Amino acid sequence: MKLYQNKKSIYWAGDRGFKACMRWHDEETIKILEEQYNWKVYYPFNDSIKIDESKYTGFFGKRGSLRNRCLMGIDISSIIVAYLGTYDTGTAQEIEYALIKEKPILGWSDSAVIVGEYAGRDIVVSQDEIEKLEIKILPMNGMTTVIDRYIEFSKLGNKVSPEKLAVIINKEAEIILGKL
């Protein structure tokens, strides 16, 4: 059963919110997605996901507020946008939960160093094409191939502004949702 109320709603997954500079970049991108492209974006590092704080005993753990914000955000979103530029078990768990909930997943990476290699790739692949990629291209592991679409723009010295990232995410998310 799909719980989301707005077809254009994103759950913003990934560990970038733990780092201030990346959190700022994500928050700016989210603001652009909402203001210019009419997305509702649920981000667990701000107050966009409402939970009953009295039910939780802390930030982390089974009863932690962060975990429960993440799960609720996935439940109420129409698509998951997951940062895959690091090896993060929390993001892997978010992806698995989204799969269980039958949510489409857009994975992205801007990481110039992947599995110890320098990369210079600009790629976009659909689920049908993912099997053609060498596994070392995907920054997490073989389980990452469950995503519906994967974007990578990892040219050394290339900076991706919040504006450019919003354009990329908007375009690819609309492609995925347009196929549903």
Side-chain angles (χ1 to χ4, degrees), residues 17 21-22 29 33 43 50 53 56 88 107 111 115 138 176-177:
C21 63
M22 290 180 174
T29 304
L33 286 167
Y43 182 56
K50 306 295 183 210
E53 295 285 343
Y56 306 106
D88 179 56
S111 181
V115 194
L138 296 168
I176 291 172
L177 289 178

Side-chain angles (χ1 to χ4, degrees), residues 166-180:
V167 167
I168 293 167
I169 297 297
N170 176 63
K171 176 186 172 198
E172 300 301 327
E174 286 189 345
I175 289 170
I176 291 172
L177 289 178
K179 292 180 180 180
L180 298 179

Side-chain angles (χ1 to χ4, degrees), residues 91-105:
T91 305
Q93 290 170 15
E94 289 170 316
I95 290 170
E96 187 63 29
Y97 186 75
L99 281 170
I100 291 166
K101 296 295 186 166
E102 299 181 0
K103 304 286 180 151
I105 302 164

